[in-house]
Amino acid sequence: MATVVTVTSGKGGVGKTTTSAAVAAGLAQLGHRTVVIDFDVGLRNLDLIMGVERRVVFDFVNVISGEATLNQALIQDKRLENLSVLAASQTKDKDALTEEGVGQVLGQLAEMGFEYIVCDSPAGIERGATMALYFADHAVIVTNPEVSSVRDSDRILGILQSKSKRAKEGGKVYEHLLITRYDPARVENGEMLSKDDVCDILAVKLIGVIPESKAVLKASNTGVPVILDENSDAGLAYGDAVCRFLGEDLPMRFVTPKKQGLFSRILGGGD
Amino acid sequence: MALFGLFSGKRKTSAAAAKERLQILISHERQNRRGPDFLPDLQRDILEVVKKYVSVRDDHVSIRLDRAGDASVLELNVILPEN
Ligand SMILES: Nc1ncnc2c1ncn2[C@@H]1O[C@H](COP(=O)(O)OP(=O)(O)OP(=O)(O)O)[C@@H](O)[C@H]1O
Ligand SMILES: [Mg+2]
């Protein structure tokens, strides 16, 4: 039985694709056979973040419409043997994602022996997003500590609780909160919602706090999931989040302002 | 900023304002979600009717649907302005 993990947020640009790449790579690193699927049909970007953009021949929609087999469309990651990527189509529109078609592809991936199917949801609450969350067993809600992102996350929680397959069958989707682009110094100054504020408001279990980090842009520039950058705060924070997702109990790191020592000030800090 | 806060006593930070606004908004939106789909429209229509007679603020009219045993109770709260 494969576990479907949907990375979602409602609001755009909060870090879903960054998170999908990191979580999928993290699960694969820990030995789980994992596939990550881009549901952002028309605006694919996961391929770039994963560094496989030049290897995309067939995509998710080609598989749904029968123009290609899954084996033809799956791209095996060159760094992690347990990781594969299924790209989104750039030309088709989101109506190409039918419930039946998506369900069939997920079923086939499970049969192929994938343990985790990570779904990178597009922004919004339209077809691509609702399809990505319909089959979810687990949802990772990506939220920035900012009013509109928190509100949209709550709307997505409402949709998960009423429109997902699990909800319709009387069950529930496991919900995990991931706060990204967190700036502990601004939180300390009262300029940014704290992780506890966001948790109080949304009432979802927190699996990680990813700091605002230069490492994320560097990782996307080079097409390497940031979790593989073990010298970075964001990479380590994602690593912890994946462990918590799998049930481990770890203290939160990078949630208090960095004490800038004389040394790092002279050297200009190193993140 | 921090120092300023010390001198002016308990000045509310913008993060505290954000939290308070979100808590009010989200509890409201969750209530609407739990109710039937027509609840927001009903609330809007009731507000229009009430406004024909008294001038009330939009956020001073609230309706909610509660379940009591096998019946549903529609509760309407209108805060009327003084005088
Ligand atoms: N922790 C972080 N620190 C700094 N920048 C970040 C962080 N997380 C994400 N970003 C940046 O935010 C931008 C949006 O990230 P990303 O593409 O992952 O968001 P998204 O939610 O997938 O967006 P969309 O809704 O368009 O699909 C990117 O430029 C990314 O580099
Ligand atoms: Mg994205």
Side-chain angles (χ1 to χ4, degrees):
Chain A
M1 269 296 280
T3 302
V4 177
V5 184
T6 298
V7 178
T8 180
S9 70
K11 187 169 157 68
V14 297
K16 290 178 295 295
T17 301
T18 305
T19 299
S20 300
V23 167
L27 289 168
Q29 250 183 335
L30 294 172
H32 301 287
R33 264 197 84 195
T34 303
V35 56
V36 57
I37 308 180
D38 192 345
F39 273 74
D40 207 342
V41 174
L43 280 174
R44 84 167 172 232
N45 270 322
L46 180 69
D47 56 339
L48 259 182
I49 303 303
M50 295 294 302
V52 300
E53 71 280 4
R54 291 171 44 170
R55 297 168 60 206
V56 180
V57 183
F58 295 110
D59 60 57
F60 192 19
V61 174
N62 293 141
V63 178
I64 289 177
S65 62
E67 292 156 1
T69 64
L70 249 182
N71 272 317
Q72 287 174 305
L74 281 175
I75 304 166
Q76 156 78 57
D77 188 270
K78 292 206 165 131
R79 297 155 295 219
L80 298 164
E81 59 168 353
N82 283 316
L83 182 59
S84 297
V85 181
L86 186 53
S89 166
Q90 242 175 343
T91 49
K92 307 281 180 15
D93 66 36
K94 294 191 165 68
D95 294 335
L97 298 178
T98 59
E99 196 175 295
E100 196 194 354
V102 173
Q104 266 169 14
V105 173
L106 298 183
Q108 274 181 48
L109 288 166
E111 271 170 35
M112 290 169 82
F114 284 102
E115 281 175 78
Y116 288 100
I117 302 173
V118 178
C119 304
D120 178 17
S121 172
I125 51 173
E126 274 146 44
R127 185 147 202 99
T130 52
M131 270 301 121
L133 64 74
Y134 181 73
F135 292 97
D137 296 306
H138 290 256
V140 174
I141 316 290
V142 181
T143 306
N144 292 165
E146 175 269 322
V147 285
S148 49
S149 174
V150 175
R151 179 204 210 166
D152 285 0
S153 292
D154 195 66
R155 283 208 64 192
I156 284 290
L157 286 167
I159 295 173
L160 277 165
Q161 290 157 8
S162 59
K163 305 255 158 67
S164 64
K165 185 163 183 283
R166 276 180 168 245
K168 286 186 170 166
E169 289 169 354
K172 79 187 289 284
V173 176
Y174 295 94
E175 299 161 353
H176 311 267
L177 177 65
L178 184 75
I179 300 175
T180 65
R181 312 204 69 162
Y182 197 70
D183 187 335
R186 301 195 73 186
V187 171
E188 195 171 77
N189 285 336
E191 300 167 15
M192 182 182 268
L193 288 164
S194 72
K195 63 177 178 37
D196 297 331
D197 290 340
V198 180
C199 287
D200 280 355
I201 296 164
L202 293 177
V204 175
K205 187 157 188 278
L206 183 66
I207 57 159
V209 177
I210 313 300
E212 173 76 25
S213 167
K214 289 177 182 159
V216 174
L217 183 59
K218 187 172 145 204
S220 71
N221 281 342
T222 49
V224 179
V226 70
I227 198 169
L228 299 182
D229 180 355
E230 281 163 12
N231 295 317
S232 73
D233 47 1
L236 294 170
Y238 270 119
D240 289 356
V242 171
C243 290
R244 287 190 205 99
F245 173 81
L246 293 171
E248 245 179 90
D249 193 13
L250 297 170
M252 292 287 168
R253 292 194 268 179
F254 317 111
V255 290
T256 49
K258 271 183 215 148
K259 302 268 177 304
Q260 282 251 319
L262 185 61
F263 234 56
S264 63
R265 245 181 295 166
I266 293 170
L267 297 173
D271 55 344
Chain B
M1 243 337 250
L3 267 183
F4 187 74
L6 269 183
F7 289 123
S8 64
K10 259 204 194 157
R11 218 178 112 253
K12 202 161 89 183
T13 62
S14 69
K19 183 178 186 184
E20 196 181 312
R21 290 173 62 218
L22 276 169
Q23 276 175 325
I24 294 167
L25 176 70
I26 284 178
S27 86
H28 185 79
E29 288 181 341
R30 282 183 187 167
Q31 240 173 54
N32 285 345
R33 271 203 315 255
R34 272 198 298 272
D37 289 349
F38 63 75
L39 219 54
D41 287 349
L42 180 61
Q43 168 145 4
R44 206 194 47 228
D45 289 351
I46 288 176
L47 184 65
E48 301 264 286
V49 175
V50 172
K51 272 185 166 169
K52 271 199 217 165
Y53 300 90
V54 268
S55 69
V56 289
R57 275 173 43 186
D58 284 16
D59 58 343
H60 281 178
V61 175
S62 70
I63 67 171
R64 53 184 290 176
L65 201 66
D66 280 321
R67 246 166 272 282
D70 51 4
S72 291
V73 179
L74 185 70
E75 186 183 303
L76 171 65
N77 276 302
V78 182
I79 302 175
L80 296 173
E82 282 180 43
N83 74 52

